[in-house]
Amino acid sequence: MSVLIKGGTVVNAEQSLRADVLCDNGLIIAVGRDLDAPSGATVVDAGGQYVMPGGIDPHTHMQLPFMGTIASEDFESGTAAGLAGGTTMIIDFVIPGPQQNIIEAYHQWREWAEKSVSDYSFHVAITWWDDSVHDDMGTLVRDYGVNSFKHFMAYKGAIMADDEILVNSFARSLELGAIPTVHAENGELVFRLQKELYEKGITGPEAHPLSRPPECEGEAANRAIRIAEVLKVPLYIVHNSCRQSLEAITRARNEGQRVFGEVLAGHLMIDDSIYRHEDFEVAAAHVMSPPFRSSEHQDALWRGLQSGNLQTTATDHCCFCADQKAAGKDDFRLIPNGTGGVENRMEVLWHHGVGTGRLTMNEFVKVTSTNAAQIFNIYPRKGSISVGADADIVVWDPEATKTISTKTDHQNVDYNIFEGMEIKGCPSHTLSQGKVVYANGELTVERGAGRYVDRPPFAAYYDALQKQASLAEPVAVKR
Ligand code: URP
Ligand code: ZN
Ligand code: ZN
């Protein structure tokens, strides 16, 4: 089954050019001027539009069991919502419970994800440590296509990784050619501040950002960076929400350290006044960690994207409906943490990034797909409009307008954090594996059509790092 995308401008990270794109059997087989449509091919008219790599959201949590409940968005509805917004691949997280075998957890998540309608992959969280975890990390890298491990420096008493786990797992990641990633917040400080606020009678969602100040994030980001520096392993920091963590990343990068930073569309756009909203449901709908910050931090994050010190954009899509958020009506610590956005990331980034001149179109492609594909080692299969790449493509209409609303979106959650936002620039068509799965407002997806994407380890570069690490070994003085 072939699809010819005709008359558009192809926008890749490195260049833009007028070209048609021919897809067959799930792959891009030609990019060039005046391509002929093979007989029976579907032709998509891309006149006046941009033809870009489908988005990669490197941070989602579909149907995550978390804080006593399960995220409302599952792999089928969540990947469908992504396709409606031009996102053709997600990287979700396997999060084993403390002491749970990590391979068993991996298989559990794989089973849940079988119903996905777009391609997907998994980071695996390291939430505890012993020799079996050390060995199983090797199996995941060698046999199961995992090249990134996640560490939650917050959520004390649940999935928090302390320094012992970070050190062991970062060192093991280097041996395996995998990249460690962290949720950077000092979980001990958060735990203490939460308790103090609650005991002072500040029990509503307004306490959430107060219990997780930017300094807690900056400290954890810097700690993870310095551990990675000593162990000589690259590091990826998820959902940077504040100036302090951005500064830690920028400083490390200026010193030549290989540190990557992700930012969420929500953290770029929403400020912390929302937690003081008089309606508990609205305030609670925004409870996620790290929290939304004051506008000073949003400005810093945009500058981080513009300067290249932050490389990827994500959503941390982790949806809980009002009845689930109500668990924390009398105690903000019990509000399930998480917000949505997988459907809206691309259009929010386009409107507020490209539309304001903060980002060029090529930079937009970098931060919505190419950089994630490169950092997680699936480039150019993903993140590129080029011959041989997967035909995961978004045709972008820069003139289309819409108002984001939970009434019209496809996400399985009763609140949209971008509700009411007016957007110019949206997908007209999305192709997944060479099939048109979204066209002019209509989704045509197939349950289970999504494939698990293997991500190989980083061989050559890590070999060099390991050699460098052993060269630096001290020699004992003989006396
Ligand atoms: O509040 C959030 N972010 N929920 C999902 C889990 C995480 O910390 O990423
Ligand atoms: Zn997190
Ligand atoms: Zn997350």
Side-chain angles (χ1 to χ4, degrees), residues 59 150 152 155 183 238-239 289 316:
H59 188 157
K150 169 76 177 286
F152 291 91
Y155 306 124
H183 165 138
V238 307
H239 54 36
S289 298
D316 198 359

Side-chain angles (χ1 to χ4, degrees), residues 231-306:
L231 297 174
K232 296 193 169 58
V233 64
L235 177 68
Y236 179 93
I237 303 184
V238 307
H239 54 36
N240 291 278
S241 73
C242 62
R243 178 178 54 74
Q244 285 82 345
S245 59
L246 171 63
E247 281 175 358
I249 292 172
T250 305
R251 193 163 52 241
R253 289 176 64 85
N254 286 342
E255 289 165 0
Q257 201 179 333
R258 193 163 293 267
V259 178
F260 303 106
E262 169 193 284
V263 62
L264 307 184
H267 282 134
L268 288 166
M269 297 310 307
I270 298 165
D271 75 67
D272 60 353
S273 61
I274 197 72
Y275 296 116
R276 296 186 291 279
H277 198 284
E278 58 191 9
D279 183 344
F280 170 85
E281 279 194 11
V282 175
H286 292 83
V287 166
M288 62 94 54
S289 298
F292 299 119
R293 307 287 192 192
S294 61
S295 57
E296 165 216 348
H297 297 283
Q298 289 155 34
D299 294 343
L301 295 174
W302 276 111
R303 285 196 297 273
L305 261 190
Q306 291 175 277

